[in-house]
Amino acid sequence: MATPNHTGTSHSLFILLGIPGLEDQHIWISRPFFISYLVAVLGNSLLVFIVVTECSLHEPMYFFLCMLAVVDLILSTTTVPKALAVFWFHAGEISLDGCATQIFFIHATFIAESGILLAMAFDCYVAICDPLRYVRVPCCEVIIRVGLVVVLRSFSVILPDVFLVKRLPLCHSNVLPHTYCEHMAVAKFACANIRVNVWYGLSALLSTAMIDALHIWVSYTFILNAVFRLPSRGAWQKALNTCVSHLCIVLIFHLPKLGLSVLHRVEKHSYPTLAVLMANLHFLVPPFMNRIVYCIKSKQICQGLLKLVGGKQVG
């Protein structure tokens, strides 16, 4: 389709506006951003340190939590500092390469986190449904294999996403009514057909996160069935407590991102404030809440934290 009023030159610089319609409230909005980011960085860093240094936590579940914490650190650091720069200093300029870097890490960490949550579900399934096999499997070997698969899958799925964006002639506009660069938001500025970008992004989502979510729910169907068959009420309450905390994090992780992905593909005009706020929930809530949920629910992590702070083991 012909596009009037452009020279055909592809933009190499973009302007992030923050949250459209709430520009006069940016200083106030920045406060929960800053507090959530500070808590996420300190909490995730502390969790990694505790798991690495506390020998009693050298188990698959805690190593998976450690991997989740690293992914959350990368996700938060990729997006929140730039959003704060927009809110505080109106420093919304970002290069095309910077935009592509944000797109890569935002989507790669999403797929990585989805894979880790799936691994945690399988770990919980084997621990409850086949405990004899669980204790025979070498912990380090499993963690290394899962980590490699998670990283390789994320890179292989998202690298084409970046190339698809960078190949487009982005000549319609260079103003993004957002706090970060997102694949489809940038692609809509193209004066070329973006059908490949739309379908590749959708197929990447369906082939990774959606399949992971399906396997997680199937796993927990079997897990809950096994939990309620445990002979001791105390045993099934303990197992159920772990399952509920994990399922809460799965919901916190999936719902904002999947809803946002649908909005990006059906929306025809500029981003509504609701869509932008929903997008930012994905960067603020999981890194902030994951650590709180698991630290409250896990006695071992609480003991490790108290030991670190108080210098003694809490019984």
Side-chain angles (χ1 to χ4, degrees), residues 290-305:
N290 287 355
R291 306 295 75 78
I292 293 176
V293 170
Y294 269 105
C295 286
I296 291 175
K297 292 292 186 179
S298 173
K299 181 181 178 182
Q300 291 89 338
I301 292 177
C302 287
Q303 287 178 340
L305 178 61

Side-chain angles (χ1 to χ4, degrees), residues 149-289:
V149 169
V150 165
V151 171
L152 290 175
R153 186 180 75 155
S154 301
F155 271 70
S156 62
V157 171
I158 297 305
L159 276 177
D161 226 14
V162 175
F163 291 128
L164 285 172
V165 170
K166 294 201 71 174
R167 75 178 178 86
L168 292 172
L170 304 170
C171 47
H172 278 312
S173 176
N174 69 334
V175 178
L176 279 163
H178 223 307
T179 58
Y180 70 96
C181 292
E182 202 276 337
H183 178 194
M184 291 310 303
V186 176
K188 287 180 179 180
F189 291 153
C191 45
N193 194 311
I194 62 169
R195 187 174 301 171
V196 175
N197 296 66
V198 172
W199 285 108
Y200 183 81
L202 186 58
S203 63
L205 177 69
L206 292 174
S207 63
T208 54
M210 291 298 291
I211 290 179
D212 290 349
L214 177 62
H215 283 116
I216 287 171
W217 290 115
V218 170
S219 296
Y220 273 96
T221 300
F222 288 106
I223 290 170
L224 293 175
N225 184 52
V227 163
F228 289 117
R229 291 183 178 181
L230 292 174
S232 166
R233 179 179 177 87
W236 71 256
Q237 283 183 333
K238 181 180 178 181
L240 188 62
N241 185 55
T242 302
C243 293
V244 168
S245 61
H246 184 207
L247 287 173
C248 287
I249 288 179
V250 170
L251 289 173
I252 291 170
F253 167 73
H254 278 289
L255 292 180
K257 186 65 178 179
L258 295 179
L260 178 66
S261 182
V262 172
L263 281 175
H264 277 315
R265 285 164 175 81
V266 302
E267 195 176 350
K268 301 300 182 183
H269 305 291
S270 60
Y271 297 102
T273 301
L274 179 61
V276 179
L277 291 173
M278 183 185 294
N280 285 287
L281 285 179
H282 173 64
F283 308 126
L284 298 177
V285 176
F288 176 80
M289 290 299 298

Side-chain angles (χ1 to χ4, degrees), residues 16-54:
L16 298 171
L17 295 183
I19 300 180
L22 297 176
E23 288 85 357
D24 57 336
Q25 303 295 323
H26 275 178
I27 294 297
W28 293 98
I29 294 172
S30 70
R31 294 180 181 183
F33 272 72
F34 177 72
I35 294 171
S36 298
Y37 179 61
L38 190 62
V39 172
V41 170
L42 292 176
N44 285 296
S45 301
L46 188 60
L47 177 63
V48 172
F49 179 78
I50 291 172
V51 171
V52 170
T53 57
E54 187 63 44

